[in-house]
Amino acid sequence: RHPNIARLYAYCLDPDLHGTHCLVYELASLGSLEQILRNEVQKGRLDWTKRISVTLGVASALEYMHGGKGGQICFHRDVKSPNICLK
């Protein structure tokens, strides 16, 4: 398991939900990268060293998924700041 990929605990693909799916991941207590970048106080605490660290972590996780290092190849098609969760 890659340390920068959130653990998936459960999912629901119930046809009664009319195409809506539910995924349950581990808690990311600091919220998303977008939330931090939109908050002026929190944004100030995210210096360039930390931003580079987040970027490298995301790149490492994508390499892990796209390269099949977890046993299967998986593509994340929606990489953006709201989908990057911080612990």
Side-chain angles (χ1 to χ4, degrees), residues 1 4 8-9 11 14 22 24 26 34 37-38 42 44-45 51 56-57 59 67 72-73 75-78 84 87:
R1 182 171 113 66
N4 294 6
L8 175 65
Y9 287 113
Y11 64 93
D14 190 339
C22 179
V24 180
E26 68 181 303
E34 178 188 45
L37 293 175
R38 289 181 182 261
Q42 290 180 333
R45 295 183 189 143
R51 292 177 191 211
L56 292 173
Q72 63 184 10
I73 294 176
F75 293 99
H76 192 297
R77 299 179 328 191
D78 199 17
I84 298 173
K87 296 195 272 183

Side-chain angles (χ1 to χ4, degrees), residues 1 3 6 17-18 21 25 29 31 33-34 36-37 39 46-48 59-60 65 70 72 74 82 85-86:
R1 182 171 113 66
L17 295 176
H18 306 290
H21 307 300
Y25 288 97
S29 58
L33 180 59
E34 178 188 45
I36 289 176
L37 293 175
N39 181 304
L46 193 63
D47 62 24
W48 283 104
S60 174
M65 291 189 325
Q72 63 184 10
C74 175
C85 300
L86 305 173

